[in-house]
Amino acid sequence: EALDIITVSDELRNSSNLDSCGGPAYISALTGAVPTSANIEYYAKIVKQNSLRRNLARIASQILADTYNDGVDARSLVEETERKIYELTDENSGSSYKAVKEIIPQTVDFIEKLFHSKESYTGVPTGFDKLDNLTSGFQKSEFIVIGARPSIGKTALALSMAAYMAIHKQIRVGFFTLEMPDTQLVQRLLSIEARVNSQKLRTGMLNNADFRDITEACSRIYEAPLYIEDTPNMKLLDLRAVARRMKSKQDIQILFVDYLTLISAEKADMPRHEQIAEVSRSLKTLARELDIPVVALSQVRRETEGKRPGLADLRESGSLEQDADVVILLHRERDNESSQDSEGAAAVVTELIIAKQRNGPVDTIQLAFIPKFTKFESLSRDNP
């Protein structure tokens, strides 16, 4: 919320701390700022809340008076009380339902646009044809979870997707990296885009050709509409606030969160599974509010080490399995088959398991993970 004398005084009054802080007079002395129209939304909420409280108090007083009136039938009193409470609730909740005849024209219009569109996919393309064919891209308002054991490549997959979207398709991407600082993330992005060994890049053991490739990659990344937030131990409400600003100011079309279990719930004393459930529900709501896909990374249970993970293996909360519109799980055998990418780089075959898709089929596809570039690509044998 906006911070000024009105909102601060209201918060202190609600917590019964206003008098102990010196009252409104002292609060007003703390700042020379005056209320402005910029905060009118917050003021309106305060007025609405106080109006609701006054109406409740009025109804309660009337009910109490009628209760002691022997001339009023008890059953009629209950019915009248229900009516008044319903009217008050209806006034303050607003009407959000629609008749199907209102929805049909919008739906037909959407289908007609798809019919005449030359775009291959209706959502945000990931850069992996087999995945995009199954999902038609990541769809607006969808909450997508990518799960895997550590070191299987959750971040590498998310960053490979983000690089394709932002650099090669100029799609506006928001990326929350709670596990590593933004400089390390960009180093990995450079390794992906320049195809330079990530270990050589970290140690600076580069040759002239590597440096030339990095310089060229830098110019491409520099122009990419990619926006990175790297605050560690980020609170859930802070994440939502930053995401809204990204949407408002940069008009991001997709949001990545790396990774979900590092987000701090507001109530730290809650059991861990309840915290994760709160984060999961909140990210699902955020996807619908901003009308963009939200892709969150998550670990899977330790028991799945060396085994193919399933939906029930998402770590610490069954809410992820329930809330997600799409669940993608990564699996790689320790002695997995090796392959090569289109330029002959050593790659390891990794299964990408679409374990849940609310509006489409589930399936398993194979991608090539290239360890030295920490990136995913389509398998060479899948290329035409």
Side-chain angles (χ1 to χ4, degrees):
E1 287 190 5
L3 296 178
D4 58 33
I5 181 174
I6 294 178
T7 54
V8 171
S9 297
D10 186 67
E11 181 64 26
L12 290 171
R13 187 180 293 108
N14 290 339
S15 60
S16 302
N17 289 319
L18 183 59
D19 291 336
S20 62
C21 289
Y26 178 71
I27 299 300
S28 64
L30 295 177
T31 176
V34 295
T36 68
S37 60
N39 298 327
I40 192 169
E41 181 181 349
Y42 303 106
Y43 304 154
K45 288 180 180 178
I46 293 172
V47 171
K48 187 175 181 180
Q49 286 291 316
N50 287 336
S51 172
L52 179 59
R53 291 177 187 277
R54 284 192 296 272
N55 285 329
L56 279 173
R58 177 179 53 79
I59 292 172
S61 297
Q62 185 62 50
I63 292 170
L64 184 61
D66 290 343
T67 301
Y68 289 103
N69 185 352
D70 292 336
V72 178
D73 180 69
R75 292 175 62 86
S76 298
L77 178 59
V78 171
E79 183 179 348
E80 181 66 11
T81 300
E82 288 179 345
R83 184 187 65 78
K84 289 179 178 178
I85 295 295
Y86 172 77
E87 286 179 353
L88 188 59
T89 304
D90 191 49
E91 287 175 6
N92 286 272
S93 63
S95 177
S96 59
Y97 61 82
K98 296 178 181 178
V100 71
K101 64 182 179 182
E102 299 177 67
I103 305 170
I104 279 290
Q106 301 173 17
T107 306
V108 172
D109 186 50
F110 175 72
I111 295 172
E112 187 176 358
K113 286 180 180 177
L114 293 180
F115 177 72
H116 294 293
S117 173
K118 296 180 181 180
E119 296 294 331
S120 302
Y121 307 114
T122 59
V124 179
T126 65
F128 303 110
D129 289 343
K130 285 192 172 183
L131 176 60
D132 288 334
N133 288 338
L134 286 168
T135 63
S136 196
F138 289 160
Q139 303 296 314
K140 291 181 178 181
S141 301
E142 282 191 342
F143 176 40
I144 299 130
V145 175
I146 298 177
R149 290 293 300 149
S151 300
I152 297 297
K154 296 185 298 296
T155 302
L157 179 63
L159 205 50
S160 296
M161 291 177 176
Y164 174 80
M165 296 169 185
I167 300 171
H168 300 282
K169 290 295 183 179
Q170 292 296 299
I171 293 169
R172 308 176 81 82
V173 178
F175 204 107
F176 283 73
T177 170
L178 311 183
E179 191 176 27
M180 66 178 73
D182 51 10
T183 50
Q184 288 186 17
L185 190 78
V186 173
Q187 280 185 19
R188 294 187 65 166
L189 191 60
L190 277 170
S191 177
I192 288 173
E193 185 62 18
R195 298 183 65 83
V196 170
N197 190 307
S198 58
Q199 181 62 22
K200 290 170 65 178
L201 198 151
R202 282 194 301 268
T203 59
M205 304 295 290
L206 303 168
N207 56 39
N208 290 335
D210 292 333
F211 203 79
R212 183 186 64 250
D213 292 340
I214 290 172
T215 303
E216 292 175 358
C218 279
S219 64
R220 294 193 296 273
I221 296 173
Y222 183 84
E223 300 295 333
L226 176 62
Y227 307 95
I228 300 172
E229 169 63 55
D230 71 342
T231 303
N233 300 318
M234 197 172 210
K235 293 285 188 182
L236 179 58
L237 290 181
D238 293 335
L239 184 146
R240 290 174 62 93
V242 175
R244 290 190 189 103
R245 284 199 293 273
M246 280 187 178
K247 178 62 178 176
S248 174
K249 295 182 178 181
Q250 310 300 340
D251 192 26
I252 59 171
Q253 295 166 266
I254 187 169
L255 180 68
F256 289 86
V257 180
D258 182 18
Y259 60 91
L260 184 147
T261 48
L262 291 179
I263 302 171
S264 301
E266 295 306 308
K267 297 180 181 178
D269 56 343
M270 292 169 57
R272 185 58 181 160
H273 70 278
E274 291 184 16
Q275 293 186 43
I276 298 301
E278 181 185 355
V279 171
S280 174
R281 286 192 298 271
S282 185
L283 291 180
K284 169 64 176 175
T285 303
L286 184 66
R288 292 200 60 185
E289 176 188 335
L290 301 184
D291 196 28
I292 61 173
V294 173
V295 184
L297 312 189
S298 176
Q299 290 192 13
V300 297
R301 302 180 194 276
R302 187 188 302 272
E303 291 77 12
T304 63
E305 188 70 42
K307 303 175 183 177
R308 296 180 87 253
L311 269 179
D313 294 314
L314 288 171
R315 191 170 176 179
E316 296 184 290
S317 177
S319 294
L320 292 175
E321 171 186 351
Q322 174 183 318
D323 295 335
D325 297 288
V326 178
V327 176
I328 297 172
L329 302 172
L330 300 179
H331 174 63
R332 186 165 58 244
E333 299 289 350
R334 295 302 179 188
D335 55 348
N336 209 344
E337 173 188 0
S338 293
S339 182
Q340 288 186 338
D341 75 340
S342 57
E343 297 181 17
V348 184
V349 177
T350 302
E351 287 186 330
L352 193 151
I353 305 163
I354 303 176
K356 176 185 178 182
Q357 187 177 187
R358 201 182 299 275
N359 299 307
V362 297
D363 202 351
T364 298
I365 65 177
Q366 292 186 329
L367 297 179
F369 176 61
I370 308 172
K372 70 177 184 178
F373 303 145
T374 60
K375 72 174 296 188
F376 279 88
E377 291 183 351
S378 297
L379 285 170
S380 296
R381 59 173 173 264
D382 291 336
N383 293 337

